[in-house]
C-alpha cells in the first residue's frame, strides 16, 4: 500500500479512490515485491480524537469514545460583571457531562474574568424579555416570553413561546426560523430573565 501511495504522489485522495484501489489490486503482486497477495478491499483507518470523550471511567467504557453531533451545545451560560454587563459562553456537551459526573453545575459560578453566573439556558427553556426600565416581579405579557432553541459560541437563538411550527419557512423568524432578537428588536440574551416552570406550566421563579 505504501508503494501504491508513493506511485500516486503520496496523495491518498488519488491512491484510494475506487479506481485507485482497483489499479492497486491489478498490480498487487508487483507492489508486494513479487509475492502473491489477496486483493485488498478494506483497511483500518485512524482519526484524531477531536471532541471525542470516554463513555466512562471503569472497565471497557474508558476505551470507548463518543462524540456529540457537530454544533451540539446544550447549555448556554450567561454571566454579568459588577455593572451588570453580560457576557456569554456555550458549554460543549463533553465538558458539561464531565462536570456533571463530578457533581458540579455544568458552568462555573464565575468565569475567567471573575464575572458571576446569572443562569444557564438549555433548549426548551423559557425566558422573559422585559421592556426598558421594567422591574420584573411577575409575567403579565406572554407575548414577551420566548423559548430557547439553540446556542453556538456566544450566540443564542430563540423563538416566541407560542410558536409550535412556523408555516412559512425560513422567512418568519430569520434563517432556520430562530433569531437572537425579539419581535421588538431587543437582543434577547442581553436583557432576558429565565423562567422556571413546573409541570403544570405555572411560573414558579423568575431568575434575573
Amino acid at each position: 500500500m505504501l508503494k501504491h501511495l508513493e506511485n500516486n504522489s503520496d496523495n491518498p485522495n488519488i491512491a484510494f479512490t475506487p479506481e485507485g484501489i482497483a489499479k492497486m489490486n491489478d498490480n498487487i503482486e508487483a507492489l508486494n515485491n513479487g509475492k502473491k497477495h489477496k486483493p485488498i478491499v478494506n483497511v483500518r483507518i485512524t482519526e484524531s480524537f477531536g471532541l471525542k470523550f470516554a463513555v466512562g471511567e471503569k472497565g471497557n467504557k474508558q476505551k470507548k469514545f463518543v462524540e456529540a453531533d457537530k454544533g451540539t451545545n446544550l447549555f448556554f451560560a450567561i454571566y454579568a460583571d459588577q455593572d451588570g454587563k453580560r457576557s456569554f459562553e456555550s458549554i460543549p456537551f463533553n465538558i458539561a457531562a464531565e462536570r456533571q459526573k463530578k457533581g458540579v453545575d455544568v458552568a462555573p459560578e464565575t468565569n475567567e474574568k471573575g464575572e458571576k453566573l446569572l443562569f444557564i439556558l438549555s433548549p426548551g427553556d423559557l425566558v422573559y424579555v422585559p421592556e426598558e426600565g421594567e422591574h420584573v416581579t411577575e409575567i403579565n405579557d406572554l407575548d414577551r416570553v420566548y423559548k430557547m432553541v439553540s446556542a453556538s459560541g456566544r450566540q443564542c437563538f430563540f423563538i416566541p413561546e407560542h410558536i409550535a411550527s412556523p408555516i412559512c419557512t425560513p422567512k418568519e423568524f430569520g434563517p432556520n426560523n430562530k433569531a437572537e432578537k425579539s419581535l421588538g428588536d431587543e437582543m434577547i440574551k442581553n436583557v432576558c430573565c429565565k423562567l422556571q416552570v413546573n409541570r403544570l406550566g405555572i411560573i414558579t421563579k423568575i431568575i434575573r
Side-chain angles (χ1 to χ4, degrees):
M1 291 183 65
L2 293 176
K3 285 186 178 180
H4 174 64
L5 183 61
E6 184 179 348
N7 292 342
N8 287 273
S9 305
D10 290 322
N11 188 340
N13 294 324
I14 297 176
F16 301 115
T17 60
E19 294 79 10
I21 293 173
K23 183 179 178 181
M24 176 183 67
N25 286 324
D26 288 341
N27 300 285
I28 196 166
E29 191 169 328
L31 293 170
N32 198 35
N33 297 323
K35 298 179 182 179
K36 292 185 178 182
H37 196 289
K38 292 182 179 180
I40 297 173
V41 294
N42 54 57
V43 296
R44 290 183 179 181
I45 61 172
T46 62
E47 57 179 326
S48 62
F49 277 102
L51 295 177
K52 294 182 177 65
F53 57 96
V55 174
E57 298 176 354
K58 297 181 180 179
N60 64 354
K61 289 184 178 179
Q62 61 185 331
K63 298 180 180 179
K64 294 181 178 180
F65 293 83
V66 295
E67 181 178 15
D69 286 342
K70 185 177 180 181
T72 298
N73 291 312
L74 299 180
F75 304 95
F76 186 74
I78 298 182
Y79 292 88
D81 61 17
Q82 293 180 347
D83 297 323
K85 184 178 180 181
R86 294 185 176 187
S87 62
F88 314 94
E89 182 180 350
S90 289
I91 311 297
F93 176 77
N94 60 317
I95 294 178
E98 187 64 31
R99 288 183 62 85
Q100 286 185 322
K101 285 195 294 183
K102 294 178 179 178
V104 297
D105 209 344
V106 297
E109 287 297 320
T110 56
N111 61 13
E112 295 178 353
K113 299 178 182 178
E115 298 168 334
K116 183 180 178 181
L117 177 68
L118 295 181
F119 50 82
I120 301 168
L121 294 177
S122 296
D125 283 347
L126 298 179
V127 300
Y128 177 73
V129 180
E131 297 186 64
E132 187 175 354
E134 179 183 359
H135 180 66
V136 183
T137 56
E138 59 181 17
I139 307 303
N140 297 314
D141 188 356
L142 294 180
D143 287 337
R144 301 186 69 83
V145 176
Y146 290 78
K147 177 174 64 176
M148 192 274 213
V149 178
S150 66
S152 177
R154 290 178 172 80
Q155 293 181 294
C156 193
F157 300 93
F158 302 84
I159 194 170
E161 62 83 23
H162 58 274
I163 301 296
S165 179
I167 297 174
C168 182
T169 59
K171 298 180 180 179
E172 288 192 72
F173 302 105
N176 300 317
N177 273 308
K178 54 185 179 181
E180 291 188 88
K181 292 186 176 183
S182 68
L183 298 178
D185 207 37
E186 300 104 335
M187 186 65 78
I188 297 175
K189 65 182 181 182
N190 288 343
V191 298
C192 68
C193 307
K194 181 178 179 179
L195 305 180
Q196 284 190 355
V197 182
N198 64 18
R199 295 182 179 180
L200 298 178
I202 300 172
I203 298 172
T204 57
K205 189 175 182 181
I206 301 173
I207 307 172
R208 53 187 183 275

